[in-house]
Amino acid sequence: DRLRVIAASDDDDEDKDIMLGIMSSTEALAEADKRGLDLVMINDKGDPPVCRIIDYGKFKYSIEKKKKENLKKQSASRSEIKEVKMSYKIDTHDFDVRLRSVQRFINDGDRVKIIVQFKGREMQH
């Protein structure tokens, strides 16, 4: 069983990883043991499969951190819909208060839904 093995460098920069070449799985495991790290299969569908010699705990931690960061970005881009209700016979000061709150919501990145409420027969006029 032949594997393409990549040894991770000491720092977290993936561009500086060293290609160790194609070797058997036992040689790759021995190399990982010699370095005190783990042999992790990255792509098992490749020909030959690609493995990396890395600290597996650190690898899992970085994956979890990236997932959380992506979720934060995703939730930050999702805006909330705020509703502002008012009557059509609203006083000017009350209207200005509603207008300021709408402007604040928009500046915060939220979407605003404005509802004009009518009572009884007000809709007919």
Side-chain angles (χ1 to χ4, degrees):
D1 190 29
R2 308 294 284 173
L3 302 172
R4 180 178 293 141
V5 179
I6 302 169
S9 57
D10 291 336
D11 52 8
D12 291 334
D13 193 8
E14 291 183 12
D15 297 335
K16 296 182 181 178
D17 291 347
I18 304 161
M19 176 72 174
L20 294 180
I22 298 173
M23 59 180 71
S24 70
S25 57
T26 55
E27 290 174 334
L29 280 170
E31 183 69 29
D33 285 341
K34 186 174 86 175
R35 293 172 185 243
L37 297 171
D38 303 309
L39 183 67
V40 179
M41 186 169 290
I42 302 297
N43 183 6
D44 60 341
K45 293 180 177 43
D47 185 35
V50 179
C51 294
R52 289 181 73 190
I53 296 176
I54 53 175
D55 182 5
Y56 187 69
K58 201 175 195 182
F59 178 68
K60 287 286 279 186
Y61 175 75
S62 66
I63 288 175
E64 289 296 320
K65 196 171 180 183
K66 285 178 187 176
K67 281 183 185 177
K68 285 182 183 178
E69 197 172 296
N70 287 339
L71 282 175
K72 281 183 185 177
K73 287 180 184 177
Q74 208 174 42
S75 65
S77 66
R78 215 179 356 216
S79 61
E80 216 176 307
I81 297 177
K82 303 279 188 172
E83 287 187 5
V84 177
K85 295 182 180 180
M86 63 181 82
S87 170
Y88 86 100
K89 293 191 294 186
I90 194 168
D91 194 39
T92 55
H93 178 263
D94 295 332
F95 178 76
D96 292 339
V97 169
R98 302 284 197 309
L99 182 65
R100 279 197 304 271
S101 65
V102 166
Q103 289 171 339
R104 186 179 33 142
F105 293 152
I106 290 173
N107 289 338
D108 290 345
D110 295 324
R111 294 174 18 192
V112 179
K113 180 178 180 181
I114 299 174
I115 299 173
V116 179
Q117 293 178 321
F118 295 98
K119 295 179 184 172
R121 296 187 187 174
E122 291 175 348
M123 194 75 126
Q124 293 174 354
H125 298 290

